[in-house]
Amino acid sequence: TLAPQPDPCKLKQRVTNSSGANVTVRFSGRYIGGPVENGFTESYGPFLQTLPPGTFDIIVNGTFNSGLWEHQVTITANGQVIKQETTLVGGTAFNIVPWTLGP
């Protein structure tokens, strides 16, 4: 049985910088789930952003196919690399992926 076609979705990264200093972050991500239909694959980034201490929402400038499509999202901040997997849900609301950067 084929999975339903993915629905458009939007992505927002919520970054909490608790390091006490500015950090330069690089966002990227890629599709990791399946099955792939009609050659569907998805990747995005890198996006670069410099953030002072605090919590910020960064909108990833794109619309991504979702459904039950899992993505691996990566953030690199001053050499520290963190990866997490997330399922993007379609609709008009943003999918929010939270990150916390420590000292």
Side-chain angles (χ1 to χ4, degrees):
T1 305
L2 292 177
Q5 286 291 321
D7 298 319
C9 69
K10 300 190 297 185
L11 179 61
K12 185 183 291 186
Q13 310 275 9
R14 179 164 291 157
V15 180
T16 299
N17 174 15
S18 59
S19 69
N22 284 3
V23 296
T24 300
V25 296
R26 175 184 183 272
F27 302 106
S28 62
R30 65 184 182 85
Y31 168 78
I32 61 171
V36 177
E37 294 183 29
N38 302 324
F40 168 72
T41 185
E42 191 75 58
S43 62
Y44 42 93
F47 302 101
L48 294 174
Q49 183 80 39
T50 300
L51 301 175
T55 299
F56 304 91
D57 283 349
I58 314 263
I59 296 173
V60 178
N61 190 19
T63 298
F64 309 100
N65 286 334
S66 65
L68 297 177
W69 304 95
E70 288 189 292
H71 290 245
Q72 182 178 75
V73 187
T74 304
I75 185 170
T76 304
N78 295 346
Q80 176 186 12
V81 179
I82 307 167
K83 295 182 180 182
Q84 60 180 296
E85 295 180 6
T86 187
T87 299
L88 301 182
V89 178
T92 58
F94 277 99
N95 289 266
I96 297 175
V97 179
W99 304 90
T100 300
L101 305 176

